[in-house]
Amino acid sequence: MAILHGIVRLLPARMVKALGGSRHHIEQAGAICYRRAVSGIEILLIGSRRNGRWGIPKGGIDKGERPWHAAAREAFEEIGALGTCEMEPVSHFFYAKARKHVPTRVSVFMLEVGAMATSFPEKGQRASMWVTVEDASEYVWNDGLRDIILGLPEALKRRAAVVEGRPPMLSASNGKG
């Protein structure tokens, strides 16, 4: 989808319209809700109310709202997750919103869960589960989201290095270090 969106942005507007598409996309914010467990990093996945596919809490950004705040709000509203949300997105992914021909771009923020609320707006409307990073990558339906999840442990290491004042180390697996 990201490649398709990139191609659409290069086409003249009249050609995009003739193909039944749009140059624009819907902006959403999503949160990868995670916790540190004895076994390693665990991610909280949620099921879609419409089709049951596994993903992360995500939704629209209200007018005047910061994207990271929208991600934290969605995490609370959809699954009751409370915690510390990063203010910079770790990445983005695209998906096609049901029954619309406009791609949706989701800015993804890391949210370290400190507690789970017992009462929240969508309680009882969705399934949820804590899983390892590897299991989460198998469950999610979107390839872009899968790549972001698989990169989460490395992103957490880089963020920890920055907080501690050390230059971030690049792993040998990414060909840069």
Side-chain angles (χ1 to χ4, degrees):
M1 181 62 90
I3 293 171
L4 176 61
H5 181 69
I7 292 170
V8 167
R9 306 250 330 143
L10 296 174
L11 295 174
R14 68 179 182 278
M15 187 179 291
V16 172
K17 189 172 183 178
L19 294 171
S22 169
R23 243 181 228 246
H24 305 289
H25 58 265
I26 297 169
E27 286 288 336
Q28 288 189 338
I32 293 183
C33 300
Y34 71 95
R35 67 183 179 190
R36 298 168 198 275
V38 174
S39 61
I41 301 296
E42 293 181 334
I43 295 174
L44 184 57
L45 295 180
I46 64 168
S48 166
R49 289 187 296 190
R50 190 172 45 82
N51 59 25
R53 293 187 304 188
W54 292 103
I56 61 172
K58 65 185 179 328
I61 303 167
D62 295 338
K63 186 174 180 167
E65 185 178 35
R66 301 280 188 192
W68 63 268
H69 187 264
R73 177 180 48 77
E74 290 293 334
F76 169 72
E77 290 177 356
E78 293 182 6
I79 53 174
L82 300 166
T84 305
C85 188
E86 295 286 333
M87 293 171 55
E88 293 294 324
V90 66
S91 194
H92 305 83
F93 72 94
F94 283 87
Y95 76 99
K97 194 115 170 108
R99 294 185 289 277
K100 292 188 180 182
H101 299 292
V102 180
T104 300
R105 184 178 95 144
V106 181
S107 296
V108 180
F109 297 83
M110 298 185 305
L111 186 146
E112 186 167 11
V113 177
M116 296 296 292
T118 56
S119 179
F120 51 95
E122 295 182 20
K123 184 174 183 168
Q125 296 180 25
R126 300 173 184 273
S128 65
M129 64 179 170
W130 285 102
V131 294
T132 65
V133 169
E134 294 77 24
D135 287 345
S137 72
E138 295 293 323
Y139 280 109
V140 297
W141 58 273
N142 181 283
D143 290 338
L145 178 56
R146 179 176 297 112
D147 291 344
I148 295 168
I149 288 171
L150 287 171
L152 183 64
E154 190 64 34
L156 289 171
K157 286 178 190 173
R158 284 193 307 271
R159 303 256 175 158
V162 169
V163 168
E164 294 172 6
R166 295 181 285 120
M169 299 295 293
L170 298 173
S171 71
S173 63
N174 68 12
K176 297 180 183 175

